Structure formats: structure tokens, C-alpha cells
Amino acid sequence: ETEVDTTRSYWSMKRALQRIQKVFPPSSVQQQRAVTTGSTPTINFLKGHPSPKYLPTEDLSHALQMAAKKAKSGEMELSYTANEGPKPFRQALAEFISCECKGDEGANNTCRKDGLFVTGGVSHGLDLACCVFGGGPGKVILAESPSYFLAFEIFRFHGLRVIGLPSDAYGIVVDEIEKIIQSLGPGKVSLVYLVPTHSNPSATTLAQKRREKLVALAAKHGFKILADEVYHMLDWGSAVDESKYKRPGRMAVLDHLYHTESSVKEVEEYEVPDGTQGSATETGHVLGISSFAKILCPGMRLGWIEAAPSLISMLSNHPYVLSGGGVAPLQAQVGHELLKSGRQAGHLSMLQREYYLRSKTLYEAVLKFPHLMIPAGGAENSQVCGGYFMWVKVVPTSVDTVSLQKIAREKFKVDFLPGERCHPEADKKKEYRGHLRLCFAYMEISELAEGVERLAAAIAHATA
Ligand SMILES: Cc1ncc(COP(=O)(O)O)c(C=O)c1O
């Protein structure tokens, strides 16, 4: 890893924008667009949803028909399934992940068939991981800052204290972890949460060397890593920069037990956990938590946790899993049809192509306005390489994006997420008062440039 000069890309971007400013002086922005009123529809950069146009209506209906045939012929598993989820689905999922990630950085990115636990999506996976590994009230989770704001409440619900972990253009600053652990004392930090690839909201990707260092720290200090990899496969870095781009590998494969540990015995029906099941003296440290929400559709409510078998076994022994068996067996069997038919892979390629075009359009639109700056991104030039979002800093920094949102919504019919929401600590939210998050996935490509013009006009209005 080239150790990062965090401000380098920021300031070179600023210089470039200052040049652009000569071409588009702020006053021209103000004149360019009068306040939009009346029935003009809002351009919504706030919603972190997929484009309604790309919901997989055909693919899903095909998979449901295939699954319905199996249900009728008795081939479908309709009783309690394995605690980890239906085995044929996990096998097909492992093959899909291995295939999609084979070009990633790192020595061995193959997904283990017995290294997957089926969940009801990332949100459910995070909640389950907190139940099993959080340690309860009094423990601390270090969360990437800025990051996915809805995750913070899941952690707090488990009584965990959430402390922000700073990040720069290459993801979380891993060296900060030991400093925080030393200040809190040993045994306090049970979890570290991050979105390592194409983060929400910053679009940054954690560099491979930092990933390795993070996993080594987890083993040294005994915390577990919750790697929210919901955007890992929604990636188009090679379209942005074919010669240099290489996506870092998934976090779970870096766990020293992931490839070496032998399979843990699956729990038999009515077996009473004897305290040794799933509590091997040495367990893995990394949970890669992902789902079909961004690569297919959120409504599937289907996801997975990828980890060394010792951790999978601990998840399988959670009391509600022991009571109810696998979490989402029916969705998993529909998902299996999508994987088997190749339609999931086809859908993902389509999303990569379309969202690449949207992200590029938004990027080019933002570059035109000097008071919208992209402080960090997936590539050297700050162009987004995957995911749903662009993180923007508003200049002048005196602009408070919470107040700006009100003006933007009411007078300019454009919406976004104020940066404050993305800070994990309530009393430090002001650090991001000059930032905002734009989602390029939800709006039509033809609306993106117009949305940025409206936003620029709202800023000009707020600073006039
Ligand atoms: C980083 C991140 N994690 C998790 C989720 C939610 O995932 P799921 O729908 O699988 O629960 C989102 C959705 O926006 C997200 O951005």
C-alpha cells in the first residue's frame, strides 16, 4: 500500500475545481436556475434504493415458477432445513461468489461451501452477529466513520457503545484501533464494523494491506470484524480504470482459520448444545456479511454470513436458530433457482454496466460545480468504482447541509442525505455538517445532471 496522503486527492481535486470555477463562476449558477416550484417532481438523491427500472421482474418470476414446480413435485425442502440454510443453495452460492471474486486481490478468494450461513439480509446478519458476538451492554463497537447510519441503531439496541473509527481515501485508518483499545483498556472492544468495499456513504474501498492489518489486530486483541460487504460485487472499477484497478479480496478469506479449519459438525435435531459445540478454543475473527439486496432486489430479504466454520457453528447454535432451523429456507430455494439458471449473474452484469453509467454521469455533473467537491472515492481521481453513493463536501464549509436540505427540498425540488446522519457518535455529528450523500442508483440517468444543477442552485441561494 502506498501510505496515504489523505489530503492529496482532495487538494488536487480542489485545484481542478478552482480552474473550473473560472469557467462557471458561482453567480452564473445562481442566475442559471430560478427557484423551482409547484408540481415539479423532486429529484431524489436521498433514497438508497435500486432503480425501479432494474427490479428483476422477469428473472424472479422465472425462479418462482421453477421453485413452484419443485414444491408441487415434492422436491422442495418444506420441513425444517439445516441451521446454516439449505445445503444446495449454500453450495451454489459459494460457487457464484468464488466465480465473481476470482480476480480480486489476494492469494485465495475461493468461497468455502461450509463457510456460509443463510440470513434474512445484511440488517438481520448484523443483528444476529451482535447477539452472538457483541458481548452485551458495556461492550464497545468501533464503527467506520462515516458509514451506514441505520446500522448504528442496531448496535445500540444491543447495549453496545458505538465509537467512530476515522477513515480516509483508502478506508478506515486501522492504526487508530490500537490507540482506542489502549485508552479503553483490554476486553472492552468486542466488535469492529465497516463497509470495506464501495462504502456507504464515502464510496471508499479499504486497501488490501489495511485489510490484512485489521485481521491481524482482531486476532491479537480478540475482537470480531463485522465486514458489511453488501456492495462488494456491485463493482465496476475496471470500467473506470482498466489498467490499474484491482478490487481487494473479501474480508473473511483473510481470517487465518478460513482456509485451514476443518468442517465443524452440523447440529443434529434435538441435540442439546453441550457447551463445546461452536465454542472451539480458537475461533475465526471475521464475519463477511452480505445479501442479495443490491445485486438482485431488497425484497428478497435473503443474505449470508461468510466466515470460518468455527464462527458459522456459533451462529448455528443461537437459540432461535436451534428452535426454528435455517432462517430463510423458502427465499433461499428461490435464490438457488436464480443462481443455477445464470440469471443472477446476468442481472448483476447489467447492474454493473448501468450503475457505472449513472455514477459517471453524476460524477461529471458534480465536477462542473466548484462548490461540490468529492473528497475521496474508489479511484485515484475520486470517480466512484461501485456501490450506490457519492460523498460530497460542500464549499464554502460554512454551509450546514441539514439547513440546506430544507431549502433544497422546498425551493429547488432536490433531496439528499445530510452528512451528519453518517457519523456514529451523536456528539460528533457536526464534523460532517458540510457533507452530503448522493445516491445515483434510484433516479433515472437523464435526471442526474438536472438534480446536480438544482443542488448547486440551492447552495448558491443558501450562501447568497
Ligand atoms: C452498507 C449497507 N449495509 C446494509 C444495507 C441493508 O442491507 P439489507 O437490505 O440486506 O438488510 C444497506 C442498504 O442500504 C447498506 O447500504
Side-chain angles (χ1 to χ4, degrees):
E1 179 191 356
T2 3
E3 212 21 76
V4 190
D5 173 358
T6 49
T7 50
R8 186 170 48 83
S9 57
Y10 180 87
W11 288 110
S12 64
M13 181 62 68
K14 188 171 166 104
R15 275 194 298 279
L17 287 168
Q18 276 161 352
R19 284 195 294 279
I20 292 167
Q21 190 162 17
K22 290 195 185 127
V23 187
F24 296 100
S27 57
S28 76
V29 174
Q30 223 166 336
Q31 286 154 10
Q32 188 179 350
R33 181 156 299 279
V35 175
T36 319
T37 52
S39 57
T40 313
T42 294
I43 296 185
N44 193 322
F45 291 126
L46 169 66
K47 272 193 184 182
H49 292 195
S51 163
K53 204 164 132 184
Y54 302 137
L55 292 174
T57 46
E58 281 302 314
D59 293 336
L60 202 56
S61 103
H62 177 265
L64 286 164
Q65 281 167 34
M66 301 309 285
K69 274 190 196 154
K70 283 196 175 159
K72 201 165 181 185
S73 68
E75 284 171 83
M76 184 179 261
E77 280 195 70
L78 294 176
S79 187
Y80 291 107
T81 60
N83 288 4
E84 297 78 9
K87 200 167 183 176
F89 167 68
R90 283 182 284 131
Q91 288 182 341
L93 181 60
E95 279 160 27
F96 173 72
I97 295 171
S98 299
C99 180
E100 289 292 331
C101 300
K102 65 175 180 294
D104 287 359
E105 239 179 306
N108 185 357
N109 288 300
T110 312
C111 178
R112 280 183 77 137
K113 291 184 174 61
D114 57 356
L116 293 171
F117 179 94
V118 177
T119 68
V122 170
S123 313
H124 169 241
L126 290 173
D127 193 67
L128 180 58
C130 287
C131 286
V132 178
F133 303 108
K139 293 288 184 183
V140 170
I141 179 166
L142 306 183
E144 176 175 6
S145 178
S147 68
Y148 176 48
F149 64 102
L150 292 172
F152 307 146
E153 292 314 313
I154 300 179
F155 307 144
R156 289 193 187 104
F157 190 83
H158 288 272
L160 299 170
R161 181 176 158 209
V162 187
I163 297 183
L165 200 50
S167 62
D168 59 28
Y170 293 81
I172 55 164
V173 183
V174 175
D175 291 340
E176 288 295 313
I177 294 177
E178 283 207 300
K179 291 186 202 158
I180 300 175
I181 288 179
Q182 267 155 22
S183 73
L184 293 172
K188 270 281 192 196
V189 174
S190 58
L191 301 170
V192 167
Y193 169 75
L194 73 160
V195 185
T197 315
H198 310 312
S199 186
N200 173 1
S202 67
T204 52
T205 288
L206 188 69
Q208 185 78 4
K209 286 243 162 61
R210 288 194 188 185
R211 290 175 188 238
E212 289 162 10
K213 211 165 175 179
L214 174 61
V215 176
L217 282 179
K220 179 175 167 192
H221 293 285
F223 58 80
K224 303 280 187 263
I225 298 167
L226 308 187
D228 178 342
E229 297 183 321
V230 77
Y231 298 108
H232 188 84
M233 289 189 265
L234 191 59
D235 168 280
W236 49 83
S238 48
V240 171
D241 185 354
E242 201 177 355
S243 59
K244 281 203 244 119
Y245 183 81
K246 202 154 173 75
R247 182 176 61 191
R250 301 183 318 285
M251 291 290 302
V253 301
L254 296 175
D255 197 329
H256 71 297
L257 290 178
Y258 184 85
H259 292 295
T260 55
E261 207 174 45
S262 55
S263 288
V264 178
K265 188 168 75 74
E266 285 182 10
V267 188
E268 295 296 330
E269 204 178 2
Y270 298 127
E271 199 173 6
V272 179
D274 63 2
T276 59
Q277 271 279 3
S279 60
T281 41
E282 198 197 2
T283 66
H285 291 96
V286 190
L287 295 111
I289 305 178
S290 194
S291 81
F292 286 85
K294 312 295 173 181
I295 60 170
L296 185 72
C297 61
M300 274 292 272
R301 301 317 309 145
L302 179 63
W304 63 91
I305 296 180
E306 181 183 13
S310 49
L311 296 179
I312 298 292
S313 169
M314 290 169 84
L315 295 166
S316 303
N317 278 285
H318 186 283
Y320 80 63
V321 182
L322 286 173
S323 166
V327 171
L330 199 52
Q331 287 104 307
Q333 290 176 91
V334 176
H336 187 198
E337 298 301 331
L338 279 150
L339 292 168
K340 238 179 23 184
S341 63
R343 284 170 179 255
Q344 172 57 70
H347 190 78
L348 176 57
S349 308
M350 182 276 292
L351 292 179
Q352 287 162 334
R353 189 183 62 240
E354 297 302 325
Y355 289 154
Y356 160 61
L357 293 175
R358 285 174 191 225
S359 68
K360 189 166 180 279
T361 303
L362 182 67
Y363 175 72
E364 284 163 3
V366 166
L367 281 191
K368 287 189 183 145
F369 294 102
H371 31 288
L372 296 173
M373 299 178 54
I374 311 163
E380 277 291 297
N381 65 0
S382 296
Q383 194 168 335
V384 173
C385 290
Y388 269 17
F389 304 108
M390 184 180 284
W391 182 236
V392 172
K393 189 169 167 61
V394 178
V395 280
T397 43
S398 56
V399 173
D400 177 345
T401 54
V402 174
S403 323
L404 178 67
Q405 187 190 34
K406 200 166 161 6
I407 298 170
R409 276 177 168 170
E410 286 170 9
K411 294 193 189 306
F412 294 88
K413 299 284 177 161
V414 61
D415 207 355
F416 56 81
L417 184 77
E420 281 194 19
R421 296 289 300 275
C422 303
H423 203 299
E425 291 176 69
D427 55 347
K428 294 190 182 158
K429 288 191 178 298
K430 290 284 170 219
E431 280 176 27
Y432 300 137
R433 70 195 289 272
H435 287 78
L436 54 90
R437 186 194 77 175
L438 303 177
C439 173
F440 49 78
Y442 182 64
M443 295 311 299
E444 282 302 310
I445 191 163
S446 57
E447 294 167 310
L448 299 176
E450 163 82 20
V452 174
E453 282 179 22
R454 291 188 195 179
L455 179 58
I459 295 167
H461 179 91
T463 53

